[in-house]
Amino acid sequence: MLNIIKTLTKSIREFKKETILAPVLVTVEVVMECLIPLYMVTMLERIQQDNSIENILFWGGILLVMALVSLVFGMLAGRYAAKASAGFSRNLRTDIYASIQGFSFANIDKFSPSSLVTRMTTDVTNIQNAFMMIIRIAVRSPIMLVVSVVMAFTINWKIALVFLALVPVLGVGLFLIFRKVDPIFAKVFKKYDAMNESIQENIKGIRVVKSYVREDYEIKKFGKTAQDVRADFQRGEMIMALNSPLMQFAIWTAISIVCIFGSQLIVQSSGAELNEASLSSLIAYGAQIMSALMTLSMVMVMISIATSSSERVAEVLSEKSTLTNPENPVYEVPDGSVEFRDVSFKYSAKAERFALQDVNLTIKPGQTVGILGGTGSSKTSLVNLIPRLYDVSEGEVLVGGIDVRDYDLESLRNQVSVVLQKNVLFSGTIKENLRWGNPDATDEELVEACKRAQAHEFVSSFPDGYDTYIEQGGTNVSGGQKQRLCIARALLKKPKILILDDSTSAVDTKTDALIRQAFREELPDVTKFIIAQRVSSVEDADLIVIMDGGKVVATGTHEQLLAGNKIYQEVYYSQNRMGASAAELNDIRKSGAGAAEDGGSAEGGEE
């Protein structure tokens, strides 16, 4: 827990002054508030001796000043506590977000998106509330409790013993309650993650839900998740509800005992040991003790809830990227050559099987490499190793003749443009989305990149052209348009290596051919990797790589593979049925199936 506190308190930073001032001001407020009942004893005694209007105004004026001082310090404490807690939560969210940006793909795989959203919203809010309680209420309540008990002892120690005996009884009760609810609150936040995941999944796939008329099913599924969260919170809050009646019963019992024995003492001693004014002050201190214990229990509730949230937030902040820069990194990428030397890779050290195994490839600068293979053959896993999105488990990947692990990460990735399988556009104009590739790109460079990606024509057809607003996720453009904009964005980086991961699947064959022609003629020095399902997308490549079961089973040009590789022949003739007879195709399939059985299947869940 100490490590968690150290991790979280780093986010206080510029709000240290407010964090310190709030409890200091609260201390002054509480001390003044606790002195008032004691002062009232003196005031009432002096007024009894001299009940003139001047004397009453004098002693009443002092009481009013004490109350105003307590009020002013309380208001200032509240202001500084609010500023400190709000600033702390802002820094905490910023730090979490910054930490996520530094994650490698392996780190990201560890946390679900819904869990990260919950941690940045609900969990940080819980921590913020607890933090404000700690620097204000958690300081106020113990001080008020101790000072009130001490003041009660200065009035009459015999009667004050009643309050002192009360504290350990309530402490044991509170301990048992919080010990019971803590595991419940720890479990409920995992269910929050599941609920957020359900919302995220539904909103993302709302078109599918509506097209299959599954609204009622989704409502019932979400209702079940929400019911699980409600049930756990209800259990926790029902147990927590015992807190208030327990304390009120104990405090009012103590005050009743004080009244009974105090009255007897006044009568028996004729006011010598205790008078009416002193008894009134004891009752006031009893009320303050009750108030302190009530607010302290509220703080304990918030701390109990925030403890689980703190662990989850600290887990993200403490997570270290699995990819780090070497001590003396290389900042210049000489060229776009790529070499895989005895590369094997698995997504987790605990995984039983490799996603890639014994891969050896040599690609020269400026070559176009086509990669073909079935689903699960680890095509994406292969190209992810080039910009070092993951590190190899065995062997090495070289770019420009240098191991990718020796490069500065930013320098390497600036020279490798990747258009991933899942094309993502962000909310903003087309210009703003394109400039993700190069923030300093001129309008002319944007147009040139879009022409190469065959996007300029449809962008120009929009009323606002390149200033057209793209909705979140690119929902107001078609799949093919989205792909072409993402390709243009990648080209703006002016990379030495360009990777297209099935990035033309949504465009027609004519547009696909025009894009490849533009690459061939206008980007001759850029090494291009094209993962595709269509043979036509890679048949003019300098080298075609056939993958199966995480292994490279064949390499060569279109002509070489068509002449001698059964898997390539099957794919080619299945997509060009007019070029083979039924008997030929049947023979190819039999041979191809036998070759595929030798490869096995890849692990890792990616192509």
CSV table of all heavy atoms in Angstrom, one decimal, residues 362-414:
chain,number,residue,atom,x,y,z
A,362,THR,N,15.3,-12.0,-46.7
A,362,THR,CA,16.2,-10.8,-47.0
A,362,THR,C,15.5,-10.0,-48.1
A,362,THR,O,15.2,-10.5,-49.1
A,362,THR,CB,17.5,-11.3,-47.5
A,362,THR,OG1,18.2,-12.1,-46.5
A,362,THR,CG2,18.4,-10.1,-47.8
A,363,ILE,N,15.2,-8.7,-47.7
A,363,ILE,CA,14.5,-7.8,-48.7
A,363,ILE,C,15.4,-6.6,-48.9
A,363,ILE,O,15.9,-6.0,-48.0
A,363,ILE,CB,13.2,-7.3,-48.1
A,363,ILE,CG1,12.2,-8.5,-47.9
A,363,ILE,CG2,12.5,-6.3,-49.0
A,363,ILE,CD1,12.2,-9.1,-46.6
A,364,LYS,N,15.7,-6.3,-50.2
A,364,LYS,CA,16.5,-5.2,-50.6
A,364,LYS,C,15.8,-3.9,-50.6
A,364,LYS,O,14.5,-3.9,-50.7
A,364,LYS,CB,17.1,-5.4,-51.9
A,364,LYS,CG,18.0,-6.7,-52.0
A,364,LYS,CD,18.5,-6.9,-53.4
A,364,LYS,CE,19.4,-8.2,-53.5
A,364,LYS,NZ,19.8,-8.5,-54.9
A,365,PRO,N,16.5,-2.7,-50.4
A,365,PRO,CA,15.8,-1.4,-50.4
A,365,PRO,C,15.0,-1.2,-51.7
A,365,PRO,O,15.5,-1.6,-52.8
A,365,PRO,CB,17.0,-0.4,-50.3
A,365,PRO,CG,18.1,-1.2,-49.8
A,365,PRO,CD,18.0,-2.6,-50.3
A,366,GLY,N,13.8,-0.7,-51.6
A,366,GLY,CA,13.0,-0.4,-52.8
A,366,GLY,C,12.2,-1.6,-53.3
A,366,GLY,O,11.4,-1.4,-54.2
A,367,GLN,N,12.4,-2.8,-52.8
A,367,GLN,CA,11.7,-3.9,-53.3
A,367,GLN,C,10.2,-3.9,-52.8
A,367,GLN,O,9.9,-3.3,-51.8
A,367,GLN,CB,12.3,-5.2,-52.8
A,367,GLN,CG,13.5,-5.7,-53.6
A,367,GLN,CD,13.9,-7.1,-53.3
A,367,GLN,OE1,13.9,-7.6,-52.2
A,367,GLN,NE2,14.2,-7.9,-54.3
A,368,THR,N,9.3,-4.5,-53.6
A,368,THR,CA,7.9,-4.7,-53.2
A,368,THR,C,7.8,-6.1,-52.8
A,368,THR,O,8.1,-7.0,-53.6
A,368,THR,CB,7.0,-4.3,-54.3
A,368,THR,OG1,7.1,-2.9,-54.7
A,368,THR,CG2,5.5,-4.5,-53.9
A,369,VAL,N,7.3,-6.3,-51.6
A,369,VAL,CA,7.1,-7.7,-51.1
A,369,VAL,C,5.6,-8.0,-50.8
A,369,VAL,O,5.0,-7.2,-50.1
A,369,VAL,CB,7.9,-7.9,-49.7
A,369,VAL,CG1,7.7,-9.3,-49.2
A,369,VAL,CG2,9.4,-7.5,-49.9
A,370,GLY,N,5.1,-9.0,-51.5
A,370,GLY,CA,3.7,-9.4,-51.2
A,370,GLY,C,3.7,-10.5,-50.2
A,370,GLY,O,4.6,-11.4,-50.3
A,371,ILE,N,2.8,-10.5,-49.3
A,371,ILE,CA,2.7,-11.6,-48.3
A,371,ILE,C,1.3,-12.2,-48.4
A,371,ILE,O,0.3,-11.5,-48.2
A,371,ILE,CB,2.9,-11.0,-46.9
A,371,ILE,CG1,4.3,-10.4,-46.8
A,371,ILE,CG2,2.8,-12.2,-45.8
A,371,ILE,CD1,4.6,-9.7,-45.5
A,372,LEU,N,1.2,-13.5,-48.6
A,372,LEU,CA,0.0,-14.2,-48.7
A,372,LEU,C,-0.1,-15.3,-47.7
A,372,LEU,O,1.0,-15.9,-47.3
A,372,LEU,CB,-0.2,-14.8,-50.1
A,372,LEU,CG,-0.5,-13.9,-51.3
A,372,LEU,CD1,-0.5,-14.7,-52.6
A,372,LEU,CD2,-1.7,-13.1,-51.1
A,373,GLY,N,-1.3,-15.6,-47.2
A,373,GLY,CA,-1.4,-16.7,-46.3
A,373,GLY,C,-2.8,-16.7,-45.7
A,373,GLY,O,-3.5,-15.7,-45.8
A,374,GLY,N,-3.3,-17.9,-45.2
A,374,GLY,CA,-4.6,-18.0,-44.7
A,374,GLY,C,-4.7,-17.2,-43.4
A,374,GLY,O,-3.8,-16.7,-42.8
A,375,THR,N,-6.0,-17.1,-42.9
A,375,THR,CA,-6.2,-16.5,-41.6
A,375,THR,C,-5.5,-17.3,-40.5
A,375,THR,O,-5.6,-18.5,-40.4
A,375,THR,CB,-7.7,-16.5,-41.3
A,375,THR,OG1,-8.4,-15.8,-42.3
A,375,THR,CG2,-8.0,-15.9,-39.9
A,376,GLY,N,-4.8,-16.6,-39.6
A,376,GLY,CA,-4.0,-17.2,-38.6
A,376,GLY,C,-2.6,-17.6,-39.0
A,376,GLY,O,-1.9,-18.3,-38.2
A,377,SER,N,-2.2,-17.2,-40.1
A,377,SER,CA,-0.8,-17.6,-40.6
A,377,SER,C,0.2,-16.7,-40.1
A,377,SER,O,1.4,-16.9,-40.4
A,377,SER,CB,-0.8,-17.7,-42.1
A,377,SER,OG,-1.1,-16.5,-42.7
A,378,SER,N,-0.1,-15.7,-39.3
A,378,SER,CA,0.8,-14.7,-38.7
A,378,SER,C,1.4,-13.7,-39.6
A,378,SER,O,2.6,-13.3,-39.4
A,378,SER,CB,1.9,-15.5,-37.9
A,378,SER,OG,1.3,-16.2,-36.8
A,379,LYS,N,0.7,-13.3,-40.6
A,379,LYS,CA,1.2,-12.3,-41.6
A,379,LYS,C,1.4,-11.0,-40.9
A,379,LYS,O,2.4,-10.3,-41.0
A,379,LYS,CB,0.2,-12.1,-42.7
A,379,LYS,CG,-0.1,-13.4,-43.5
A,379,LYS,CD,-0.9,-13.1,-44.7
A,379,LYS,CE,-2.3,-12.6,-44.4
A,379,LYS,NZ,-3.1,-13.6,-43.7
A,380,THR,N,0.4,-10.6,-40.1
A,380,THR,CA,0.5,-9.3,-39.3
A,380,THR,C,1.6,-9.4,-38.3
A,380,THR,O,2.3,-8.4,-38.1
A,380,THR,CB,-0.9,-9.0,-38.7
A,380,THR,OG1,-1.9,-8.8,-39.7
A,380,THR,CG2,-0.8,-7.7,-37.8
A,381,SER,N,1.7,-10.5,-37.6
A,381,SER,CA,2.7,-10.7,-36.6
A,381,SER,C,4.1,-10.4,-37.2
A,381,SER,O,5.0,-9.8,-36.6
A,381,SER,CB,2.7,-12.1,-36.0
A,381,SER,OG,1.4,-12.3,-35.4
A,382,LEU,N,4.3,-10.9,-38.4
A,382,LEU,CA,5.6,-10.7,-39.1
A,382,LEU,C,5.9,-9.3,-39.3
A,382,LEU,O,7.0,-8.8,-38.9
A,382,LEU,CB,5.6,-11.5,-40.5
A,382,LEU,CG,6.9,-11.4,-41.3
A,382,LEU,CD1,7.9,-12.3,-40.7
A,382,LEU,CD2,6.6,-11.8,-42.7
A,383,VAL,N,5.0,-8.5,-39.9
A,383,VAL,CA,5.3,-7.1,-40.2
A,383,VAL,C,5.4,-6.2,-39.0
A,383,VAL,O,6.0,-5.2,-39.0
A,383,VAL,CB,4.3,-6.5,-41.3
A,383,VAL,CG1,4.5,-7.3,-42.6
A,383,VAL,CG2,2.9,-6.6,-40.8
A,384,ASN,N,4.7,-6.7,-37.9
A,384,ASN,CA,4.7,-5.9,-36.6
A,384,ASN,C,6.1,-5.9,-36.0
A,384,ASN,O,6.4,-5.0,-35.2
A,384,ASN,CB,3.7,-6.5,-35.6
A,384,ASN,CG,2.3,-6.0,-35.8
A,384,ASN,OD1,2.1,-5.0,-36.5
A,384,ASN,ND2,1.4,-6.7,-35.2
A,385,LEU,N,7.0,-6.8,-36.4
A,385,LEU,CA,8.3,-6.8,-35.9
A,385,LEU,C,9.2,-5.8,-36.5
A,385,LEU,O,10.2,-5.4,-35.9
A,385,LEU,CB,8.9,-8.2,-36.0
A,385,LEU,CG,8.2,-9.4,-35.3
A,385,LEU,CD1,8.8,-10.7,-35.7
A,385,LEU,CD2,8.1,-9.2,-33.8
A,386,ILE,N,8.9,-5.3,-37.7
A,386,ILE,CA,9.7,-4.4,-38.4
A,386,ILE,C,9.8,-3.0,-37.7
A,386,ILE,O,10.9,-2.5,-37.5
A,386,ILE,CB,9.3,-4.3,-39.9
A,386,ILE,CG1,9.4,-5.6,-40.6
A,386,ILE,CG2,10.1,-3.2,-40.6
A,386,ILE,CD1,8.7,-5.6,-42.0
A,387,PRO,N,8.7,-2.4,-37.4
A,387,PRO,CA,8.8,-1.1,-36.6
A,387,PRO,C,8.9,-1.3,-35.1
A,387,PRO,O,8.8,-0.4,-34.4
A,387,PRO,CB,7.4,-0.4,-37.0
A,387,PRO,CG,6.5,-1.6,-37.2
A,387,PRO,CD,7.3,-2.7,-37.8
A,388,ARG,N,9.2,-2.6,-34.7
A,388,ARG,CA,9.4,-2.9,-33.3
A,388,ARG,C,8.2,-2.6,-32.5
A,388,ARG,O,8.3,-2.0,-31.4
A,388,ARG,CB,10.6,-2.2,-32.7
A,388,ARG,CG,11.2,-3.0,-31.6
A,388,ARG,CD,12.3,-2.3,-30.9
A,388,ARG,NE,12.6,-2.9,-29.6
A,388,ARG,CZ,13.3,-2.3,-28.6
A,388,ARG,NH1,13.7,-1.1,-28.7
A,388,ARG,NH2,13.5,-2.9,-27.5
A,389,LEU,N,7.0,-3.0,-33.0
A,389,LEU,CA,5.8,-3.0,-32.2
A,389,LEU,C,5.8,-4.1,-31.2
A,389,LEU,O,5.2,-4.0,-30.1
A,389,LEU,CB,4.5,-3.1,-33.1
A,389,LEU,CG,4.4,-1.9,-34.1
A,389,LEU,CD1,3.2,-2.1,-35.0
A,389,LEU,CD2,4.3,-0.6,-33.4
A,390,TYR,N,6.5,-5.2,-31.5
A,390,TYR,CA,6.8,-6.2,-30.6
A,390,TYR,C,8.3,-6.6,-30.7
A,390,TYR,O,8.9,-6.3,-31.8
A,390,TYR,CB,6.0,-7.5,-30.8
A,390,TYR,CG,4.5,-7.4,-30.6
A,390,TYR,CD1,3.6,-7.1,-31.6
A,390,TYR,CD2,4.0,-7.7,-29.3
A,390,TYR,CE1,2.3,-7.1,-31.3
A,390,TYR,CE2,2.7,-7.6,-29.0
A,390,TYR,CZ,1.8,-7.3,-30.1
A,390,TYR,OH,0.4,-7.2,-29.8
A,391,ASP,N,8.9,-7.2,-29.7
A,391,ASP,CA,10.3,-7.7,-29.8
A,391,ASP,C,10.3,-9.1,-30.1
A,391,ASP,O,9.4,-9.9,-29.7
A,391,ASP,CB,11.0,-7.4,-28.5
A,391,ASP,CG,11.8,-6.1,-28.5
A,391,ASP,OD1,12.0,-5.5,-29.6
A,391,ASP,OD2,12.1,-5.6,-27.4
A,392,VAL,N,11.2,-9.6,-30.9
A,392,VAL,CA,11.3,-11.0,-31.3
A,392,VAL,C,11.6,-11.8,-30.0
A,392,VAL,O,12.2,-11.3,-29.0
A,392,VAL,CB,12.4,-11.2,-32.3
A,392,VAL,CG1,12.1,-10.5,-33.6
A,392,VAL,CG2,13.8,-10.8,-31.8
A,393,SER,N,11.2,-13.0,-30.0
A,393,SER,CA,11.5,-13.9,-28.9
A,393,SER,C,12.9,-14.6,-29.1
A,393,SER,O,13.6,-14.8,-28.2
A,393,SER,CB,10.4,-15.0,-28.7
A,393,SER,OG,9.2,-14.4,-28.6
A,394,GLU,N,13.2,-14.9,-30.4
A,394,GLU,CA,14.5,-15.5,-30.8
A,394,GLU,C,14.9,-14.8,-32.1
A,394,GLU,O,14.1,-14.4,-32.9
A,394,GLU,CB,14.4,-17.0,-30.9
A,394,GLU,CG,14.0,-17.7,-29.6
A,394,GLU,CD,13.8,-19.2,-29.9
A,394,GLU,OE1,14.1,-19.7,-31.0
A,394,GLU,OE2,13.4,-19.9,-28.9
A,395,GLY,N,16.2,-14.8,-32.4
A,395,GLY,CA,16.7,-14.3,-33.6
A,395,GLY,C,16.7,-12.7,-33.6
A,395,GLY,O,16.7,-12.1,-32.5
A,396,GLU,N,16.8,-12.1,-34.8
A,396,GLU,CA,16.9,-10.7,-34.9
A,396,GLU,C,16.2,-10.2,-36.2
A,396,GLU,O,16.3,-10.9,-37.2
A,396,GLU,CB,18.3,-10.2,-34.8
A,396,GLU,CG,19.3,-10.8,-35.8
A,396,GLU,CD,20.7,-10.4,-35.5
A,396,GLU,OE1,20.9,-9.5,-34.7
A,396,GLU,OE2,21.6,-11.0,-36.2
A,397,VAL,N,15.7,-9.0,-36.1
A,397,VAL,CA,15.2,-8.3,-37.3
A,397,VAL,C,16.1,-7.1,-37.6
A,397,VAL,O,16.3,-6.3,-36.7
A,397,VAL,CB,13.7,-7.8,-37.1
A,397,VAL,CG1,13.2,-7.1,-38.3
A,397,VAL,CG2,12.8,-9.0,-36.8
A,398,LEU,N,16.6,-7.0,-38.8
A,398,LEU,CA,17.5,-5.9,-39.1
A,398,LEU,C,16.8,-5.0,-40.1
A,398,LEU,O,16.2,-5.4,-41.1
A,398,LEU,CB,18.8,-6.4,-39.7
A,398,LEU,CG,19.8,-7.1,-38.8
A,398,LEU,CD1,19.3,-8.5,-38.4
A,398,LEU,CD2,21.2,-7.1,-39.4
A,399,VAL,N,16.9,-3.7,-39.9
A,399,VAL,CA,16.4,-2.6,-40.9
A,399,VAL,C,17.6,-1.8,-41.2
A,399,VAL,O,18.3,-1.3,-40.3
A,399,VAL,CB,15.3,-1.8,-40.3
A,399,VAL,CG1,15.0,-0.6,-41.2
A,399,VAL,CG2,14.0,-2.6,-40.1
A,400,GLY,N,17.9,-1.7,-42.5
A,400,GLY,CA,19.1,-0.9,-42.9
A,400,GLY,C,20.4,-1.6,-42.4
A,400,GLY,O,21.4,-0.9,-42.1
A,401,GLY,N,20.4,-2.9,-42.2
A,401,GLY,CA,21.5,-3.6,-41.7
A,401,GLY,C,21.8,-3.5,-40.2
A,401,GLY,O,22.8,-4.0,-39.7
A,402,ILE,N,20.8,-2.9,-39.4
A,402,ILE,CA,21.0,-2.7,-38.0
A,402,ILE,C,19.8,-3.3,-37.3
A,402,ILE,O,18.7,-3.2,-37.7
A,402,ILE,CB,21.1,-1.2,-37.7
A,402,ILE,CG1,22.3,-0.6,-38.4
A,402,ILE,CG2,21.2,-1.0,-36.1
A,402,ILE,CD1,22.3,1.0,-38.3
A,403,ASP,N,20.1,-4.0,-36.2
A,403,ASP,CA,19.1,-4.7,-35.4
A,403,ASP,C,18.1,-3.6,-34.9
A,403,ASP,O,18.5,-2.5,-34.4
A,403,ASP,CB,19.7,-5.4,-34.2
A,403,ASP,CG,18.7,-6.3,-33.4
A,403,ASP,OD1,17.5,-5.9,-33.3
A,403,ASP,OD2,19.1,-7.4,-33.1
A,404,VAL,N,16.8,-3.8,-35.1
A,404,VAL,CA,15.8,-2.8,-34.7
A,404,VAL,C,15.8,-2.5,-33.2
A,404,VAL,O,15.4,-1.4,-32.8
A,404,VAL,CB,14.3,-3.3,-35.1
A,404,VAL,CG1,14.2,-3.4,-36.6
A,404,VAL,CG2,14.0,-4.6,-34.4
A,405,ARG,N,16.4,-3.4,-32.4
A,405,ARG,CA,16.5,-3.1,-31.0
A,405,ARG,C,17.6,-2.1,-30.6
A,405,ARG,O,17.7,-1.6,-29.5
A,405,ARG,CB,16.7,-4.4,-30.2
A,405,ARG,CG,15.5,-5.3,-30.2
A,405,ARG,CD,15.8,-6.7,-29.7
A,405,ARG,NE,16.7,-7.4,-30.6
A,405,ARG,CZ,16.9,-8.7,-30.5
A,405,ARG,NH1,16.3,-9.4,-29.5
A,405,ARG,NH2,17.7,-9.3,-31.4
A,406,ASP,N,18.5,-1.8,-31.7
A,406,ASP,CA,19.5,-0.8,-31.5
A,406,ASP,C,19.1,0.6,-31.9
A,406,ASP,O,19.8,1.6,-31.6
A,406,ASP,CB,20.8,-1.2,-32.3
A,406,ASP,CG,21.4,-2.5,-31.8
A,406,ASP,OD1,21.2,-2.8,-30.6
A,406,ASP,OD2,22.0,-3.2,-32.6
A,407,TYR,N,17.9,0.7,-32.5
A,407,TYR,CA,17.5,2.1,-32.9
A,407,TYR,C,16.8,2.8,-31.8
A,407,TYR,O,16.2,2.2,-30.9
A,407,TYR,CB,16.5,1.9,-34.1
A,407,TYR,CG,17.1,1.7,-35.4
A,407,TYR,CD1,17.0,0.5,-36.1
A,407,TYR,CD2,17.8,2.7,-36.1
A,407,TYR,CE1,17.5,0.2,-37.3
A,407,TYR,CE2,18.4,2.5,-37.3
A,407,TYR,CZ,18.2,1.2,-38.0
A,407,TYR,OH,18.8,1.0,-39.2
A,408,ASP,N,16.8,4.1,-31.9
A,408,ASP,CA,15.8,4.9,-31.1
A,408,ASP,C,14.4,4.6,-31.7
A,408,ASP,O,14.2,4.7,-32.9
A,408,ASP,CB,16.2,6.4,-31.3
A,408,ASP,CG,15.1,7.3,-30.7
A,408,ASP,OD1,15.0,7.4,-29.5
A,408,ASP,OD2,14.4,8.0,-31.5
A,409,LEU,N,13.5,4.3,-30.8
A,409,LEU,CA,12.2,3.9,-31.2
A,409,LEU,C,11.5,4.9,-32.1
A,409,LEU,O,10.9,4.5,-33.2
A,409,LEU,CB,11.3,3.6,-30.0
A,409,LEU,CG,11.3,2.2,-29.4
A,409,LEU,CD1,10.6,2.1,-28.1
A,409,LEU,CD2,10.7,1.2,-30.4
A,410,GLU,N,11.5,6.2,-31.7
A,410,GLU,CA,10.9,7.2,-32.5
A,410,GLU,C,11.5,7.3,-33.9
A,410,GLU,O,10.8,7.5,-34.9
A,410,GLU,CB,10.9,8.5,-31.7
A,410,GLU,CG,10.1,9.6,-32.4
A,410,GLU,CD,10.1,10.9,-31.6
A,410,GLU,OE1,10.4,10.8,-30.4
A,410,GLU,OE2,9.8,12.0,-32.2
A,411,SER,N,12.8,7.3,-33.9
A,411,SER,CA,13.5,7.4,-35.2
A,411,SER,C,13.2,6.3,-36.2
A,411,SER,O,12.9,6.4,-37.3
A,411,SER,CB,15.0,7.5,-35.0
A,411,SER,OG,15.4,8.6,-34.2
A,412,LEU,N,13.1,5.1,-35.6
A,412,LEU,CA,12.8,3.9,-36.4
A,412,LEU,C,11.4,4.0,-36.9
A,412,LEU,O,11.1,3.8,-38.1
A,412,LEU,CB,12.9,2.6,-35.6
A,412,LEU,CG,12.5,1.3,-36.2
A,412,LEU,CD1,13.3,1.0,-37.4
A,412,LEU,CD2,12.5,0.2,-35.2
A,413,ARG,N,10.4,4.3,-36.1
A,413,ARG,CA,9.0,4.3,-36.5
A,413,ARG,C,8.7,5.5,-37.4
A,413,ARG,O,7.7,5.4,-38.2
A,413,ARG,CB,8.1,4.3,-35.2
A,413,ARG,CG,8.2,3.0,-34.5
A,413,ARG,CD,7.4,3.0,-33.2
A,413,ARG,NE,7.5,1.7,-32.5
A,413,ARG,CZ,7.1,1.5,-31.3
A,413,ARG,NH1,6.5,2.5,-30.6
A,413,ARG,NH2,7.3,0.3,-30.7
A,414,ASN,N,9.5,6.5,-37.3
A,414,ASN,CA,9.3,7.6,-38.3
A,414,ASN,C,9.7,7.2,-39.7
A,414,ASN,O,9.3,7.9,-40.7
A,414,ASN,CB,10.1,8.9,-37.9
A,414,ASN,CG,9.3,9.7,-36.8
A,414,ASN,OD1,8.1,9.7,-36.8
A,414,ASN,ND2,10.1,10.4,-36.0
